[in-house]
Amino acid sequence: MKTWKSCAWLLGVTLMVAAGTAQAGTLEQVKARGKLICGTSGSTPGFSAPDNNGKMQGLDADMCYAVAAAIFGDKGKVDFVPLTLVERFTALAAGEVDVLSRSSTNTLTRDASLGIDFTYNTFIDGQGFLVRKSLNAKGVADLDGATICMPSGTDTEPNLAAYFTKNKLTYKPVGFDTEPQVREAFDAGACDVISSDKAILAAMRTELSKPDEVTILPDTISKEPNGPWVRQGDSEWADVVRWSIYGMIAADELGVSSKNVDEMKTQSGNSPVLRLLGVEGETGKLLKVQDDWGYQIVKQVGNYDESYQRNVTPLGLPREGTPNALWNKGGVLLAPPL
């Protein structure tokens, strides 16, 4: 099993390096196709998972809805492709999806060697631990000798190895290709602990058979800046994706929401607001998207805070006091000037 996975990973890396010089013209391809193809998890509540009507919901999904709204003036013109942790980067580099919006940490190795580029932070997280309350663990120091389930092909494995070695702790790792497999193994008693990004742990907890019997330890052993990725070498497309994210954050900064955007468009005297909503300037022309791309994003998807409160807060992860707050409210998220 491990040999097969190693070969698959090497093949994937080879394909990604071969595709390293990405095809230019993704924006033109998306326009000609009439829809955006977004690679995502599809099984992570709060970030990307279908609702009762089969419509994809979540913070990661909203980033793709925003790009579609900017290009077409219609957030519905997007198809979501569920990708596992093993498949995600290969699928993007090979052109199977236009953008990857799926809990994927920005690292030097990925940015510099896989033929893909990180766009911007949409959720800054850290690696943590979900345990059964019956374990009576108060911190990572109490996990010596534990069996730990985790997603394979992520930073989780090396982070865990480094932390436990440094702190002279032992553990037995059990890896799986997808988060649902990790959750099911934990539910079946195959391990004592799950280790992953804390947002992923919070999402998994909502789907465990006995969520009231588990807790997430307070320790955080890494920094995990997540956000959408695009293929390397297509700066025009990267600009569209990046500014769609910036548009949601800028609206949050400027107090423009889906509820007041029509009023702000006609009555605001603030130039940055008017530029965001397409009343002043030619930002849409510069990006080769809708003239009112910012208005369409806010009207149809909402600003960053609306998306966060709608999707992430219900997981028990408040935004206030975290890096995901705005730069002027104690966090690090910001949008460059329009």
Side-chain angles (χ1 to χ4, degrees), residues 313-337:
T313 297
L315 297 176
L317 299 172
R319 184 184 180 200
E320 185 178 359
T322 74
N324 297 301
L326 292 174
W327 64 277
N328 54 2
K329 294 184 178 178
V332 302
L333 292 190
L334 61 81

Side-chain angles (χ1 to χ4, degrees), residues 28-36 71-72 74 76-78:
E28 286 72 20
Q29 293 172 15
V30 171
K31 287 181 175 178
R33 189 191 303 127
K35 62 183 178 182
L36 173 74
I71 297 171
F72 300 111
D74 181 354
K77 292 190 174 181
V78 51

